[in-house]
Amino acid sequence: MEIQIDKTVTLQNLKASDAGDIFRTIDRQREYLGKWLPFVETTKRLEDSEGFVASVVNADERNFEHVFSIRKNGEFIGLIGFKDTDRQSKKTEIGYWLSKDQQGQGIMTRAAQRLCEIAFSELGMNRVQIKCAVGNKASKKIPKRLGFLLEGIERDGELLSGGEYTDLEVYSLLKQDV
């Protein structure tokens, strides 16, 4: 599946050949991305990214999550996708990251908006949430722009690099809100 976000940005279903782009981007921006993303510390070799991609691509139907590479003019610039989906309760979470040099252009906001549309209209979800580290100002602008409600703080919600925990702001959007 390919989703056109605008004339230069597309979302493409994650595929095995994306592993190299993912690893190279993480490796080049290790310090920047590692401040907020726990997997950066454990992504030390191409094989680590290959393992992640394989876990997404080869997931059985019960555990499958839609994860997309974000491409601008065909070049890989980040990832966005659903995670921790609870089909019985009809709720999911959107996780994302974007290359440092591509931020500030509204790309992630538009991509997250499109995933909300997919969650509600195609996947039958009732609730979408986004969790952002309390100090990650850029990330938490996205749910705010999209009309998500800040529900509260998940204390020590994520273990980051170096064994440090961070609190997470939990935002939600319900189908009835859109």
Side-chain angles (χ1 to χ4, degrees):
M1 174 189 313
E2 181 170 300
I3 300 166
Q4 197 75 36
I5 299 299
D6 60 31
K7 58 186 173 187
T8 62
V9 177
T10 59
L11 305 181
Q12 298 177 6
N13 275 340
L14 197 63
K15 54 188 180 292
S17 60
D18 292 326
D21 288 335
I22 293 168
F23 177 74
R24 282 186 294 278
T25 303
I26 290 170
D27 203 40
R28 282 193 316 265
Q29 299 180 32
R30 199 164 285 285
E31 184 177 338
Y32 174 75
L33 294 173
K35 182 174 182 181
W36 305 116
L37 302 170
F39 59 83
V40 171
E41 185 174 53
T42 58
T43 304
K44 298 180 179 177
R45 301 170 304 138
L46 173 59
E47 292 79 10
D48 299 324
S49 292
E50 290 171 339
F52 162 72
V53 171
S55 74
V56 171
V57 172
N58 300 324
D60 62 35
E61 186 177 320
R62 192 182 68 222
N63 297 311
F64 179 78
E65 300 275 17
H66 291 278
V67 178
F68 302 92
S69 66
I70 306 169
R71 296 194 171 268
K72 184 176 180 184
N73 297 318
E75 297 294 318
F76 176 86
I77 60 170
L79 289 178
I80 189 168
F82 298 113
K83 57 182 274 190
D84 301 327
T85 299
D86 179 341
R87 287 167 180 77
Q88 182 173 346
S89 295
K90 298 185 183 292
K91 62 183 181 177
T92 191
E93 181 178 340
I94 296 175
Y96 50 79
W97 62 269
L98 192 63
S99 181
K100 183 179 181 179
D101 61 334
Q102 296 297 320
Q103 295 184 9
Q105 303 172 47
I107 293 169
M108 196 57 78
T109 300
R110 292 191 307 276
Q113 181 176 25
R114 185 63 182 104
L115 259 61
C116 288
E117 292 167 5
I118 291 168
F120 294 132
S121 66
E122 296 176 30
L123 302 179
M125 294 291 134
N126 181 61
R127 172 188 168 90
V128 175
Q129 68 181 27
I130 295 175
K131 295 180 181 181
C132 307
V134 167
N136 192 339
K137 293 176 183 171
S139 186
K140 62 187 178 181
K141 286 179 184 178
I142 294 161
K144 288 178 179 181
R145 283 187 200 118
L146 296 175
F148 280 62
L149 174 70
L150 174 62
E151 294 184 331
I153 305 296
E154 183 178 332
R155 298 180 313 139
D156 282 357
E158 192 164 53
L159 180 61
L160 296 177
S161 299
E164 294 290 322
Y165 283 94
T166 187
D167 294 343
L168 299 173
E169 293 183 11
V170 180
Y171 293 88
S172 71
L173 186 67
L174 302 180
K175 187 173 186 174
Q176 69 189 30
D177 298 335
V178 294

